[in-house]
Amino acid sequence: MAGQHLPNLPDEIVCKIIGLVGEDSIWHHGPFLRAGKRGFSLVHEPSVLQTCNVTPMLINLEIRLGGKFRESLLECVSDGNTEAVYYEGLYATTFDVEHAINVLEPNVPTHALSTLDVGVFNVCLGKDKEASKVFLEFAAIHDKLRSDAILELTDELEWRLTLFLAPHLNSYPLTFKFPDDEVIKSPKCLYGHDYTKYLVDHSRFGHSSSGVPVYLPGQLLPNLPDEIVCKIIGLVGEDSIWHLGPFLRAGKRGFALVHEPSVLQTCNVTPMLINLEIRLGGKFRESLLECVSAAEAVYYEDKEASKFSLEFAAIHDKLRSDAILELTDELEWRLTLFLAPHLNSYPLTFKFPDDEVIKSPKCLYGHDYTKYLEGSCKNYRLFWIYSNIAHML
């Protein structure tokens, strides 16, 4: 891009700068890529690609075969980027578990999630000895195999696999083999139950496939006042709405307490974003709407833009601060995740504020700020951000 030049510094110093910038997001490499052949070359240095944050490239799974970020991800994988290797391994899992293990091997045992994943995938393939070895490495470096941390990591694995559109075909029932040695034991039931057959419905949000609430026998709430149990449930739900499941299945009292507004107002609903199942017709749609209702969420019209900008500045950050750029990057990313149509549906109604709170950008040379979008004025930056988001809708 004309006008963009790298500083007259040695390549190793510029590489270090690019690397530090990319640790926040690979998107931040853009200006360097556009700064001529030297910039393009330095961005593709292994030392840069090894450490850049590739997570933003997961948008709409564009890292899959044929996706627009596929080549970029593979280049990061070949240069040893730990997160890129992890995501490529998860993607491979959706069509070939054995290949996924090979992809993830470079991350074992230093990367906790990759190590645990390889152990689980070996169990699926019936390679119980290999699985036991990997689990032993995990326990030595990361955490005990019977710790609560394992539950959190496996929740993360399930969520990521669903995000990568895992087929849910149960393709490995005949080869599945859990280790049974000095490292890890297969569970035994004192009452002689076969743990491979007696699998209680662990529906995430406490409902069976028919939508009827599931109450599991033997799950009872403590004999405490409702307000105390509500407080406990609320604290648990702040980490993830999935953690409300056991309370939902603990009888009618538990089901009622989980649906108290004080609980639903504070629970973390982000896990329900899986495959956008919160959209109309999605299986988490009703749960999300109940949380919205509890929070008394209200949609405001664009006339109030200046008022809310003023409230934002008073409570959170200055309207022309760099923090705004990060927040609006987050908004653009989330809108893309929600499949924003990019139709630019509001060109006739788009109206940027121009009052004592925030000014519409003006150019001393008479340029139309709706056409010349290469200024650096902070007033201009805010307008550009608003304009970009409007174009997504």
Side-chain angles (χ1 to χ4, degrees):
M1 183 177 288
Q4 287 188 327
H5 298 287
L6 293 181
N8 188 21
L9 295 170
D11 284 357
E12 61 184 277
I13 295 178
V14 179
C15 259
K16 183 67 174 175
I17 294 169
I18 298 173
L20 290 171
V21 168
E23 286 177 10
D24 182 50
S25 171
I26 195 168
W27 294 160
H28 298 164
H29 287 169
F32 299 99
L33 285 166
R34 296 189 294 268
K37 292 182 179 179
R38 182 180 176 224
F40 188 88
S41 174
L42 292 178
V43 165
H44 289 84
E45 281 290 309
S47 61
V48 172
L49 296 182
Q50 279 173 4
T51 58
C52 64
N53 176 13
V54 299
T55 302
M57 290 199 298
L58 297 184
I59 289 175
N60 294 341
L61 297 187
E62 288 286 358
I63 63 168
R64 293 182 296 177
L65 194 63
K68 60 184 176 182
F69 304 135
R70 180 69 183 156
E71 293 304 317
S72 299
L73 182 82
L74 291 179
E75 191 169 359
C76 293
V77 169
S78 69
D79 285 325
N81 184 300
T82 301
E83 290 297 319
V85 169
Y86 175 57
Y87 293 136
E88 176 63 12
L90 288 186
Y91 169 54
T93 305
T94 61
F95 56 85
D96 186 345
V97 169
E98 194 149 11
H99 176 56
I101 291 174
N102 293 332
V103 171
L104 291 168
E105 279 295 343
N107 281 0
V108 177
T110 53
H111 187 249
L113 278 166
S114 298
T115 307
L116 184 63
D117 294 0
V118 168
V120 173
F121 299 155
N122 273 314
V123 169
C124 293
L125 295 174
K127 298 180 178 180
D128 56 323
K129 292 181 180 178
E130 288 86 344
S132 184
K133 177 186 173 186
V134 173
F135 288 140
L136 186 59
E137 289 179 323
F138 179 93
I141 297 175
H142 302 291
D143 223 310
K144 294 178 180 178
L145 293 174
R146 293 168 184 81
S147 68
D148 290 339
I150 291 286
L151 298 180
E152 295 176 12
L153 287 171
T154 47
D155 271 350
E156 170 83 0
L157 172 58
E158 288 184 44
W159 183 78
R160 294 269 182 198
L161 285 174
T162 305
L163 186 67
F164 275 83
L165 308 181
H168 288 268
L169 295 176
N170 189 23
S171 307
Y172 304 96
L174 300 179
T175 58
F176 184 94
K177 191 175 182 183
F178 197 72
D180 195 355
D181 53 29
E182 69 282 357
V183 177
I184 188 168
K185 300 287 185 183
S186 291
K188 304 289 191 298
C189 177
L190 290 174
Y191 299 98
H193 294 147
D194 181 350
Y195 63 84
T196 64
K197 294 179 181 176
Y198 293 86
L199 298 177
V200 179
D201 182 356
H202 289 293
S203 171
R204 281 297 197 178
F205 205 59
H207 292 78
S208 67
S209 57
S210 63
V212 179
V214 177
Y215 304 133
L216 300 188
Q219 287 189 327
L220 300 174
L221 295 180
N223 188 22
L224 294 170
D226 283 359
E227 61 185 272
I228 295 177
V229 179
C230 257
K231 182 69 173 174
I232 294 170
I233 297 172
L235 290 171
V236 169
E238 285 178 9
D239 182 52
S240 171
I241 196 168
W242 293 161
H243 298 167
L244 302 183
F247 300 101
L248 284 164
R249 298 189 290 266
K252 293 182 179 179
R253 180 181 176 222
F255 189 87
L257 292 178
V258 165
H259 289 82
E260 281 290 310
S262 62
V263 172
L264 297 180
Q265 280 173 0
T266 58
C267 65
N268 175 14
V269 299
T270 301
M272 291 198 297
L273 297 184
I274 289 174
N275 293 341
L276 299 187
E277 288 286 359
I278 62 169
R279 292 184 298 177
L280 194 63
K283 61 183 176 182
F284 304 136
R285 181 66 180 165
E286 293 304 316
S287 300
L288 181 78
L289 290 179
E290 192 166 358
C291 294
V292 170
S293 174
E296 297 180 346
V298 181
Y299 180 78
Y300 296 98
E301 297 295 337
D302 61 323
K303 295 177 184 177
E304 306 294 327
S306 183
K307 172 188 170 186
F308 288 107
S309 296
L310 183 61
E311 290 180 344
F312 179 92
I315 298 174
H316 302 290
D317 223 309
K318 294 178 181 178
L319 293 174
R320 294 166 184 82
S321 67
D322 289 338
I324 290 286
L325 298 179
E326 295 176 14
L327 288 171
T328 48
D329 271 349
E330 171 82 1
L331 174 56
E332 287 186 43
W333 181 79
R334 292 210 178 261
L335 285 173
T336 304
L337 187 66
F338 276 84
L339 308 183
H342 288 266
L343 294 176
N344 190 23
S345 307
Y346 303 97
L348 299 180
T349 57
F350 182 89
K351 189 175 182 184
F352 195 73
D354 195 358
D355 53 28
E356 69 281 356
V357 177
I358 187 170
K359 300 288 185 183
S360 289
K362 305 288 193 299
C363 176
L364 290 174
Y365 299 98
H367 294 148
D368 182 349
Y369 60 82
T370 64
K371 295 178 181 177
Y372 294 87
L373 299 178
E374 292 195 10
S376 58
C377 167
K378 291 191 175 182
N379 242 348
Y380 156 77
R381 275 197 322 191
L382 201 57
F383 170 84
W384 184 42
I385 287 164
Y386 282 44
S387 178
N388 278 353
I389 291 170
H391 277 73
M392 297 177 71
L393 304 175

